[in-house]
Amino acid sequence: MKMNKREFKDKVYIELSTVAKAMANPVRLEIIDLLAQGPFSVEQIANYTEQSIANASQHLQHLKKAKLVQISRNGNFIYYSLASESVYNTWVSLRELGKVFNTEIAKVVHDFRKGQSKGMQAIDAATLATMLEKDEVVLLDVRPEEEYNRGHIHRALSIPVDHLGQSLKKIPHKKMLVAYCRGPFCVYADEAVAMLTRKGYHAVRLEEGFPEWALKGYPVDYTTSK
Amino acid sequence: MKMNKREFKDKVYIELSTVAKAMANPVRLEIIDLLAQGPFSVEQIANYTEQSIANASQHLQHLKKAKLVQISRNGNFIYYSLASESVYNTWVSLRELGKVFNTEIAKVVHDFRKGQSKGMQAIDAATLATMLEKDEVVLLDVRPEEEYNRGHIHRALSIPVDHLGQSLKKIPHKKMLVAYCRGPFCVYADEAVAMLTRKGYHAVRLEEGFPEWALKGYPVDYTTSK
DNA sequence: AATCTATTCAATTAAATAATTGAATAGATT
DNA sequence: AATCTATTCAATTATTTAATTGAATAGATT
C-alpha cells in the first residue's frame, strides 16, 4: 500500500533521530571522540572514559545498533572503531557547533586551561604548519605511543605525557615547543604545556588533534611498528 | 579551585550532549530541516510538521535553549530561524550519516518514491549543473512561492506543486523537466514528477534542495518581492 | 574438555523526555 | 483601556533512557 507523505516523513526523521539519539549522551560522545583516534578495546574505552566495563559495553551496544561503530576481534579482545568517516564528520560538526556557539563550552575549556597554567596558549593548525616550515618549533606528540605509531604529525617527537618528566633531557631548550594530543577536548597537551612551562620551557599547545590535522591535508607520518 | 581532568571532560561532553539531545527527536529534526529553508512562524512550523501549536512551541523552546534557533518578531508573529550556518552544517552531516549508512532510510525513500511513480528517477546537483549549461532541461521550483522568492536555482521557474495542475500550459513538452524542492526528504518534487509523468512529460527530481545547491556554489537567483 | 578472560546481557531503579490539555501571557491592534 | 491573536507555560501521564549489579556468554587458551 502506498505510503503517504506524512508516514514517509515520520519514518525518515524517526530513523535519523535514532542516529542523533546515539550521540545524545555525554559518555557516548566521549567514546566517539576517543574512537576518532583509532580502534580501542572495551577495557581501554572503559579506562579512558572512567566508566565501568558493563556501562561502557552498554553504550557501545547502543552505538553499534545505530551503526556508528563496528567491531573487530584480536584474541580475547574486541576492538571498536568508528564505522565510517561520516561518523567522524558528524562528530566534528557537532563539536564545531558546540565550540562556536555554546559559550559554556568555551568557558569550561578556558577555565580548565587557566587552572593548568597562567598564560596558557593554544595555536591552530595553520599557524603550526607555517612554523614547521620555518623550522621554528619542536613538535611533541604527547599521546600514548601506540597512537603515535598509528599516525602522527610530520616531524613530531613522541613523548607521552606520563613519560614527560623523565624525558626532559631529550627536549631542546632553544626552540619553542608545541604539544599536541587527540583534539580540543583532550588534556594531555594542556598537562604537558603546564609541566614544560614550570620547567622553564616556552611551550604552547595545538588546538587541534592529529585527526583534524590530517583532515586538513597537512603532512603526516606513520611508524611501522613491526 | 582547579578543575581536574575528569571534571573538565565531563562538563564539556555534557554540554555537547545537550546540543545533540536537542537534535535527538524526529519532530525537532523536521523543524531544523524546515528552517534550513529560511524563517517560519510557529503556526507555519506546526502546519508543515503536522504538530499541535503547543507541541511545536515546546520543541522550539528546546531548540532555543540549546541555542540552535533564534527568533525575530513581525506583528503578532514570532519567526524562528536557524541560529547559525553551523547548525545547518551539523544537520547536513547527520543527514549524510543517515543516508550513506542507515540503509533503512534509503529503503524508506526508495519505497516512497516507487509508490509515487514507477521508474521514479532523481539526478544530483552536478548532473543538473551540466544539463543547465547545455540548455537541455526546464527546471521547476515546486516549493511555495515565498521560498522561491527568498532564493532559487538560477533559471528555475516557480510552479508550486499545489498549483501544478493549473500551470501545465506554461510548461514546454519538448525538453526534459527537472523538479526540485527543499531537499532529499521533501516530497513536493516527488509529487510533481508523479503528476508530470502521468501527463506525459519526461520529468525527474533533483536529489538535493536549494540550500545544498547554493552550498555547493552553483548559480542562484533571488527575487526582490517588493 | 576444562578453564580463563573479556565482554555482553538482564533486571532493577531512578531520572529524563515528550504529547496533551487547558491556563496564562506577550505584544499588537483597536 | 479593552480586546485580540499568536505563543508560551505548567501539570499530568506515559514512555524512554541510563547506571548498577550480578549472572551469563563467547571465544581463546591450555
Side-chain angles (χ1 to χ4, degrees), chain A:
Chain A
M1 209 254 277
K2 193 171 134 182
M3 194 187 318
N4 78 23
K5 169 177 171 174
R6 179 44 42 195
E7 284 168 347
F8 164 73
K9 291 175 93 76
D10 285 349
K11 279 177 192 273
V12 157
Y13 292 114
I14 285 173
E15 280 301 315
L16 268 184
S17 74
T18 298
V19 178
K21 278 173 178 176
M23 290 179 142
N25 172 275
V27 176
R28 291 198 291 278
L29 283 179
E30 186 169 359
I31 291 175
I32 290 169
D33 200 6
L34 181 65
L35 297 184
Q37 314 302 314
F40 289 89
S41 69
V42 180
E43 203 170 23
Q44 289 177 308
I45 292 166
N47 271 340
Y48 281 124
T49 60
E50 292 180 59
Q51 302 295 317
S52 68
I53 288 182
N55 200 28
S57 182
Q58 289 210 133
H59 284 299
L60 285 164
Q61 297 319 303
H62 205 292
L63 291 171
K64 193 168 156 217
K65 196 175 176 191
K67 296 192 182 98
L68 300 186
V69 299
Q70 65 199 7
I71 65 176
S72 63
R73 193 164 194 133
N74 184 1
N76 268 332
F77 292 94
I78 297 188
Y79 283 87
Y80 280 80
S81 51
L82 294 188
S84 76
E85 191 173 315
S86 62
V87 179
Y88 175 74
N89 288 341
T90 302
W91 157 242
V92 166
S93 288
L94 185 65
R95 194 181 62 196
E96 288 311 302
L97 183 52
K99 272 174 67 185
V100 164
F101 218 68
N102 184 327
T103 52
E104 185 57 29
I105 292 176
K107 185 180 182 304
V108 170
V109 169
H110 175 264
D111 287 351
F112 176 78
R113 288 180 184 175
K114 204 171 169 193
Q116 290 286 303
S117 171
K118 275 187 283 179
M120 172 74 73
Q121 283 179 348
I123 62 170
D124 65 10
T127 304
L128 175 62
T130 300
M131 289 172 124
L132 284 171
E133 276 184 16
K134 294 177 182 175
D135 202 16
E136 290 176 359
V137 293
V138 172
L139 184 62
L140 307 180
D141 182 324
V142 295
R143 295 175 298 166
E145 190 166 355
E146 179 193 343
E147 292 170 46
Y148 176 87
N149 290 339
R150 280 182 196 149
H152 51 270
I153 294 178
H154 182 54
R155 290 166 75 185
L157 300 175
S158 172
I159 310 195
V161 68
D162 52 6
H163 295 126
L164 194 47
Q166 341 45 312
S167 301
L168 287 174
K169 49 179 180 276
K170 288 182 179 176
I171 300 168
H173 254 96
K174 286 184 287 189
K175 289 178 175 174
M176 178 165 134
L177 306 178
V178 179
Y180 75 90
C181 51
R182 290 171 177 158
F185 302 146
C186 176
V187 305
Y188 289 149
D190 298 308
E191 290 171 352
V193 167
M195 179 184 298
L196 289 166
T197 300
R198 282 200 297 275
K199 299 288 190 181
Y201 291 84
H202 179 200
V204 301
R205 75 160 280 161
L206 180 66
E207 189 61 49
E208 291 95 335
F210 172 72
E212 290 76 33
W213 174 270
L215 200 70
K216 287 174 163 113
Y218 293 119
V220 300
D221 287 327
Y222 300 87
T223 302
T224 51
S225 59
K226 259 313 195 89

Side-chain angles (χ1 to χ4, degrees), chain B residues 70-86:
Chain B
Q70 65 200 6
I71 64 176
S72 62
R73 194 166 193 132
N74 185 1
N76 268 331
F77 292 95
I78 297 190
Y79 283 87
Y80 280 81
S81 52
L82 294 187
S84 76
E85 191 174 315
S86 62

Side-chain angles (χ1 to χ4, degrees), chain B residues 6-51:
Chain B
R6 181 39 45 193
E7 283 167 347
F8 166 74
K9 291 177 92 78
D10 284 348
K11 280 181 191 269
V12 158
Y13 291 115
I14 284 172
E15 281 300 316
L16 268 183
S17 74
T18 299
V19 178
K21 279 174 180 175
M23 293 182 141
N25 171 276
V27 175
R28 291 198 291 279
L29 283 180
E30 185 168 359
I31 291 175
I32 290 171
D33 200 7
L34 180 65
L35 297 184
Q37 313 302 314
F40 288 89
S41 69
V42 180
E43 202 170 23
Q44 288 177 308
I45 292 167
N47 271 341
Y48 281 123
T49 59
E50 294 181 56
Q51 302 294 318

